[in-house]
Amino acid sequence: MLVSLRPHAIPALAFSLAAAGSSACVLDYPVGNSPLAGTGGESDDTSTTSDVDPTTSEPARCGDGVVDAEEACDDGNDDPADGCDLECNRAPTVGWTHTDGGEHGGGFVPNAVAVDPMGRIVVVGDDLAPDRYGEAAVLVFGPGGNLMWRRSFPTVDKDWNTFTDVAVDGDGRIFAGGFALEDLEFVEIVRCLDATGEELWTFHEVVSGPVQTARLHGLVVGPGGLYSVGEEYGDHEFFELVVRKHDLATGAVAWKLEHQGPGDMVGTSIAVSGDHLVAVGRVTSPTDSLPHPLVVTVDTAGTLVSSAAEDQLVGEWSSVAPIGATGDLVLAGYSREPGAIPRNARLRRIEAAGAEVWSFVGDSPFAEFKDVAVGPDEAIVAIGDIDVPGVDEQHSYTRRFTGDGATLWTSHLLAIPGAMNEHGFAVAFSGSTVIAAGMWTEEIDDAPGTLLNLWLRQFAGQ
């Protein structure tokens, strides 16, 4: 491996791209018949009042300003971003939306978001060229959604690199991790930037000897260091899950745990639970070639404590976050039942020892959670994708839970005019407000293909 200390200044960009979106919708349709019906947006809040006689045959109508027995709310307008959505379910209030198409003509795909101690929002991902070769990039926004600065890391000979996760520490340092394609092999990369974008150090895992590919998917700042999780492939039969501890000041690796299993192991996310680290992901069984959710516990000295795969469940855990004061965790991902629902959003709270506290499983034709965050008072927000009924498109799916698993609101907000396939990728808390990031696609005039655009959205705390 190579660790380099390479200071590099970056100028602040002198423009801001804050924009609020809008969405066309239809007023006054029967409850259950809205454009978003059947998308898993049902609310657990059933404390409603009604001015309509429930014995009559007249169906409740969403958008008439009357809260009927089948509705959680009805504010009489067609604004899905004001706390009551198009299906008269509880929804968050949108504070602002920022969009960004990247600097190289192909768009920007966000993979992770974090909020630093000053409330600044850090987004990492891919700044793409039209041919889809990408540069790993960091964008930093002010608390109000104004772009403060951006920095990308060019590739060589159209090789591709990306940031897959980001963490910030109490000093405002930014740790962006991911991987790069170099000479047809993937190599793991972590970069440390200061609050202005100056590069402090870079960790670069050189692919040599038995290691043929190395990819990083998750980062967390923990006791005495920076911890990463991903996978490697080398001189053994399957991919192995890899956890590393990096020195915060230099990026040097203090220890590396290589965990082999009975199939390909992929680590997608990592969190601190008490005095342990918990990595989640999937293991693909060599017997059925299906993914199964995986939870791996490691102590801070780099020793494997436990590894548990759910052989009876098909799916994966995409994200993990700590919750509460006793080491509990929230796991987010999807499950799949062959022959039934293709993919179902799944959320689970577990104790530090692994016992289940509660689970949420959606019932939509297709949905998955890709990220989860925990805020004040055990507030939970999960984000991902869900199908749009009747069309070959998806939209972002953000769901707010209490610490005991009750749903407070959902958001399926298509807030960009003309947007198609809006995906939700990442979520974080800024105080009591929720910061969500995702991607939407846009047709390019007089050119084939689509432009992939970043959206960044603030949901008011509820």
Side-chain angles (χ1 to χ4, degrees):
M1 69 186 151
L2 298 177
V3 177
S4 59
L5 299 174
R6 297 185 296 158
H8 186 80
I10 179 171
L13 297 185
F15 58 87
S16 172
L17 298 173
S22 61
S23 175
C25 54
V26 180
L27 274 175
D28 200 30
Y29 45 78
V31 170
N33 293 337
S34 84
L36 299 183
T39 59
E42 66 280 0
S43 171
D44 289 345
D45 184 357
T46 59
S47 59
T48 61
T49 61
S50 175
D51 294 330
V52 176
D53 184 354
T55 64
T56 67
S57 60
E58 179 69 20
R61 303 196 72 83
C62 183
D64 62 5
V66 178
V67 179
D68 298 300
E70 300 174 40
E71 300 172 337
C73 58
D74 193 329
D75 55 10
N77 64 48
D78 62 352
D79 183 357
D82 64 354
C84 188
D85 69 12
L86 303 184
E87 184 63 9
C88 285
N89 293 315
R90 297 294 182 191
T93 300
V94 175
W96 48 259
T97 297
H98 173 101
T99 62
D100 193 297
E103 291 190 305
H104 304 303
F108 189 96
V109 178
N111 291 322
V113 62
V115 179
D116 75 4
M118 300 300 293
R120 299 179 310 161
I121 303 159
V122 184
V123 177
V124 300
D126 313 330
D127 200 331
L128 300 173
D131 57 10
R132 292 298 189 251
Y133 284 97
E135 296 181 356
V138 179
L139 278 63
V140 174
F141 301 85
N146 56 302
L147 181 64
M148 298 177 66
W149 57 264
R150 67 195 306 153
R151 180 165 184 193
S152 59
F153 296 86
T155 58
V156 178
D157 297 328
K158 285 194 172 182
D159 281 346
W160 174 74
N161 70 123
T162 181
F163 288 139
T164 55
D165 203 7
V166 62
V168 295
D169 68 3
D171 296 326
R173 288 180 295 183
I174 299 167
F175 304 95
F179 49 90
L181 182 63
E182 298 178 358
D183 297 324
L184 301 180
E185 300 289 352
F186 286 108
V187 297
E188 179 177 324
I189 292 177
V190 183
R191 299 184 189 272
C192 177
L193 311 178
D194 70 11
T196 67
E198 180 178 350
E199 187 172 355
L200 302 178
W201 54 257
T202 295
F203 164 79
H204 184 186
E205 178 71 280
V206 176
V207 174
S208 63
V211 178
Q212 299 175 19
T213 189
R215 292 179 294 214
L216 180 152
H217 299 294
L219 283 175
V220 66
V221 176
L226 176 71
Y227 299 87
S228 65
V229 67
E231 74 271 1
E232 286 186 357
Y233 180 77
D235 58 356
H236 39 81
E237 185 177 0
F238 302 110
F239 279 92
E240 59 185 6
L241 184 145
V242 175
V243 179
R244 291 180 177 86
K245 178 182 179 180
H246 299 264
D247 184 280
L248 287 168
T250 66
V253 174
W255 52 255
K256 175 182 176 182
L257 170 72
E258 302 174 24
H259 178 38
Q260 299 182 28
D264 287 334
M265 283 188 163
V266 174
T268 57
S269 182
I270 189 168
V272 177
S273 173
D275 57 356
H276 290 83
L277 305 164
V278 175
V280 300
R282 66 181 183 272
V283 56
T284 301
S285 168
T287 58
D288 60 16
S289 299
L290 294 173
H292 299 276
L294 176 67
V295 178
V296 175
T297 303
V298 180
D299 68 22
T300 54
T303 302
L304 180 67
V305 176
S306 65
S307 179
E310 298 186 50
D311 296 335
Q312 304 305 312
L313 187 65
V314 177
E316 77 167 34
W317 295 124
S318 302
S319 183
V320 58
I323 184 171
T326 60
D328 284 12
L329 296 161
V330 178
L331 317 177
Y334 75 90
S335 60
R336 178 164 61 88
E337 299 177 14
I341 297 174
R343 186 169 287 195
N344 235 340
R346 181 175 288 264
L347 195 74
R348 181 185 298 168
R349 179 171 179 166
I350 62 173
E351 297 175 348
E356 180 178 320
V357 179
W358 53 259
S359 282
F360 164 84
V361 182
D363 59 358
S364 300
F366 178 96
E368 64 178 314
F369 289 138
K370 297 178 180 178
D371 196 16
V372 66
V374 176
D377 301 321
E378 298 192 351
I380 302 169
V381 171
I383 193 170
D385 296 336
I386 200 166
D387 271 353
V388 175
V391 295
D392 187 23
E393 294 180 4
Q394 294 178 331
H395 56 78
S396 61
Y397 174 36
T398 308
R399 194 163 186 135
R400 165 78 160 83
F401 298 85
T402 64
D404 59 7
T407 296
L408 291 183
W409 52 254
T410 58
S411 171
H412 309 297
L413 192 63
L414 286 165
I416 311 299
M420 303 180 303
N421 287 331
E422 178 176 311
H423 301 270
F425 287 161
V427 68
F429 274 92
S430 178
S432 63
T433 62
V434 174
I435 305 298
M439 180 193 77
W440 60 283
T441 59
E442 178 186 17
E443 294 291 344
I444 303 175
D445 293 337
D446 301 322
T450 57
L451 180 67
L452 308 179
N453 298 272
L454 159 73
W455 60 259
L456 186 69
R457 189 170 295 143
Q458 181 202 60
F459 294 127
Q462 295 181 37

